[in-house]
Amino acid sequence: MKRYFGLILLILALVLFSLCLQRINDPVIPVSSVMTPEKRIPGAVVLDAGHGGEDGGAVAKDGTQEKDVNLVIAKDVAAFFRLFGVPYVMTRDGDHDLADKELDTIRERKRSDILARYALVNETPGSVLLSIHQNMYEVEKYWGAQVFYAPDDADSLRLATLLRASVTRGTQPENGREVKPSNDGIYLLYRAKRPSVMVECGFLSNERELSLLKSPNYDSALAYFICRGVLDYYSLRENV
Ligand SMILES: [Zn+2]
């Protein structure tokens, strides 16, 4: 029974939350009719599963690749976006990147991949970037989600703060990591022209967190609370 307790709570929360949504007269969602992830949807959340294809991202001791964890969580977030009517477009929905394959070096392809993701966000009017990544560190003890945001942008900071609040409240109340402005090491955020955040969902270098991140139940709980953070952002922004 204990095994299913978290799941039952999550389902109850979902039902309650969707009932609440129906009771709100002003729509929380800026565009409610779009349910398919087509490109260039004005006002869409650009849901970015980090890395992909030849770029695996960080690799855990047991060989788990960051790109795969990112994609699982991003697809779960997409499922909740569909449920709540949040318009979105994914930068990828399979194991590939967005690089120009004609380019010779990995370095050039990596750059072209980032620029393609960047264009998708910044050429979509009214879009918001939600990039999903995992963390890695040489010391195993560090754990917990952390949210980075585009520096000097109030909307990015607000979105990051709401995401952090939702994810920590829902899945890791002891996590004291604060939101952080990105430095130039995160191109998508540092050069952002739209509200942009990156959620580092957890540390692949921490054994306990790695096993959680490999659990479908934990991934979908994380995704649910990420989705709620986004809904909170739209709800607040409409009232500003
Ligand atoms: Zn990454």
Side-chain angles (χ1 to χ4, degrees):
M1 186 62 201
K2 206 177 161 193
R3 271 177 65 200
Y4 298 107
F5 188 65
L7 193 61
I8 292 167
L9 265 184
L10 183 62
I11 291 166
L12 272 177
L14 274 175
V15 171
L16 277 175
F17 192 61
S18 57
L19 284 175
C20 288
L21 271 186
Q22 284 166 17
R23 282 163 193 273
I24 295 171
N25 290 332
D26 294 328
V28 173
I29 319 297
V31 182
S32 58
S33 58
V34 183
M35 302 293 269
T36 52
E38 289 167 14
K39 295 191 175 182
R40 309 272 189 269
I41 301 169
V45 176
V46 177
L47 179 53
D48 175 47
H51 312 282
E54 68 177 350
D55 172 16
V59 182
K61 263 191 199 156
D62 70 351
T64 301
Q65 296 191 72
E66 182 193 349
K67 64 175 181 177
D68 297 325
V69 180
N70 295 343
L71 186 59
V72 168
I73 295 172
K75 281 185 164 178
D76 283 351
V77 174
F80 284 114
F81 279 176
R82 284 196 297 278
L83 188 65
F84 289 112
V86 178
Y88 71 94
V89 51
M90 294 187 79
T91 54
R92 68 180 179 101
D93 61 1
D95 183 17
H96 57 82
D97 56 30
L98 281 70
D100 176 355
K101 303 285 180 289
E102 306 288 299
L103 294 168
D104 290 334
T105 66
I106 290 182
R107 190 186 159 89
E108 286 172 322
R109 290 195 293 276
K110 176 79 189 151
R111 180 169 166 74
S112 110
D113 171 61
I114 290 293
L115 290 177
R117 292 177 204 239
Y118 182 79
L120 190 52
V121 188
N122 292 286
E123 290 168 13
T124 304
S127 65
V128 166
L129 171 69
L130 173 60
S131 191
I132 304 290
H133 282 253
Q134 310 304 316
N135 226 327
M136 183 86 181
Y137 200 63
E138 63 240 32
V139 183
E140 202 205 310
K141 67 176 180 180
Y142 295 107
W143 65 276
Q146 183 157 33
V147 186
F148 291 84
Y149 62 93
D152 305 319
D153 181 66
D155 281 336
S156 300
L157 171 60
R158 190 176 304 128
L159 175 56
T161 304
L162 291 166
L163 279 167
R164 183 203 172 275
S166 180
V167 168
T168 53
R169 194 172 54 234
T171 66
Q172 37 194 261
E174 321 86 66
N175 178 354
R177 293 181 180 284
E178 296 299 334
V179 299
K180 253 190 170 176
S182 91
N183 59 22
D184 60 359
I186 309 177
Y187 186 94
L188 285 178
L189 301 189
Y190 197 69
R191 302 272 173 188
K193 294 177 186 156
R194 309 265 178 232
S196 297
V197 297
M198 175 184 287
V199 182
E200 300 254 27
C201 301
F203 282 76
L204 298 181
S205 41
N206 179 282
E207 207 172 319
R208 184 177 165 273
E209 195 157 46
L210 174 63
S211 75
L212 284 173
L213 290 166
K214 286 163 70 178
S215 135
N217 280 356
Y218 183 75
D219 289 339
S220 70
L222 263 180
Y224 169 69
F225 288 105
I226 289 172
C227 174
R228 274 200 63 165
V230 171
L231 289 168
D232 290 343
Y233 169 77
Y234 282 127
S235 156
L236 277 187
R237 197 172 64 162
E238 303 248 309
N239 297 328
V240 166

